[in-house]
Amino acid sequence: MTELSVDVRVQVARLRNLLVDAARCGALASPLASLPHPRWEPLELQALWWLRAECLLPVGVLAHRLGGLAMPRLSRLVDRLEEGGLVRRERSVRHDRRRVRVRLTDAGRAVAEETDALVQERMARLLSPLQGETRSALMDILELWVETLGAQARAAGEEEEENTAPTLVPDEVLTASAA
């Protein structure tokens, strides 16, 4: 492990033990896992659920949301959903036509709503052992954690952008090197 304070190491050990215990109780199973539907596979329902949550997703982001799904498999999944009338692909006209995004249709939104109702039921069962203030305190802490993770991700993205930005060469240098 990297250079961490004793306090952080203790907290990491506590978190690991809590996650192991929660998994033993079945609480770490994804509420998106094994969603039942007479026609659509669980992974297809998960894709619809993510599209409902985020409205319009580039295919690469959708692949990431689905656990790092390989692009050929994602393309087949989107093909099936498109053929079923649940999603449509959109190409970026303004920037790069190779960039494809996926959006729900009205029919897809209806299936996604059914899926979300089931996911919310599963989440309610996870939270139901906690009462009022305790449940609210947990939600407050989780919101703070997610906000912090988001801020870290944005900062890392900005730093990566700065490190990969092309170096601008003054015109005088270009003119001199061309001579």
Side-chain angles (χ1 to χ4, degrees):
M1 204 182 299
T2 59
E3 298 294 320
L4 298 175
S5 69
V6 172
D7 182 52
V8 172
R9 287 178 188 268
V10 168
Q11 297 301 324
V12 167
R14 283 182 66 196
L15 177 60
R16 182 184 57 77
N17 291 338
L18 286 168
L19 291 174
V20 167
D21 290 343
R24 285 184 184 134
C25 298
L28 290 187
S30 170
L32 293 172
S34 302
L35 294 165
H37 194 276
R39 179 173 177 195
W40 303 105
E41 297 294 319
L43 197 57
E44 293 165 337
L45 295 171
Q46 287 179 35
L48 296 175
W49 188 86
W50 278 110
L51 288 166
R52 179 192 177 276
E54 300 196 46
C55 188
L56 176 72
L57 286 175
V59 291
V61 173
L62 182 57
H64 180 72
R65 296 286 188 272
L66 295 174
L69 202 60
M71 291 309 285
R73 187 167 177 210
L74 179 74
S75 290
R76 289 188 301 272
L77 182 143
V78 173
D79 286 344
R80 285 191 304 274
L81 294 173
E82 196 170 37
E83 289 165 9
L86 301 183
V87 302
R88 72 174 177 269
R89 287 180 170 100
E90 296 180 0
R91 297 199 182 282
S92 176
V93 179
R94 299 171 73 198
H95 296 54
D96 182 353
R97 292 191 51 79
R98 293 172 296 179
R99 292 178 61 187
V100 177
R101 300 176 302 181
V102 183
R103 179 187 302 274
L104 287 174
T105 63
D106 289 340
R109 190 165 287 100
V111 174
E113 293 290 335
E114 292 171 21
T115 300
D116 188 56
L118 180 58
V119 169
Q120 286 189 39
E121 253 179 60
R122 290 176 176 182
M123 290 178 180
R125 281 195 299 267
L126 286 174
L127 290 174
S128 66
L130 299 176
Q131 299 301 313
E133 287 183 22
T134 305
R135 189 171 41 236
S136 291
L138 174 62
M139 293 298 100
D140 292 344
I141 290 168
L142 288 173
E143 284 175 353
L144 177 61
W145 182 48
V146 169
E147 286 173 18
T148 304
L149 290 174
Q152 284 179 338
R154 283 188 300 278
E158 289 170 3
E159 183 178 317
E160 184 179 314
E161 222 174 83
E162 287 174 8
N163 292 335
T164 59
T167 306
L168 298 177
V169 180
D171 288 340
E172 307 85 55
V173 175
L174 292 175
T175 305
S177 65

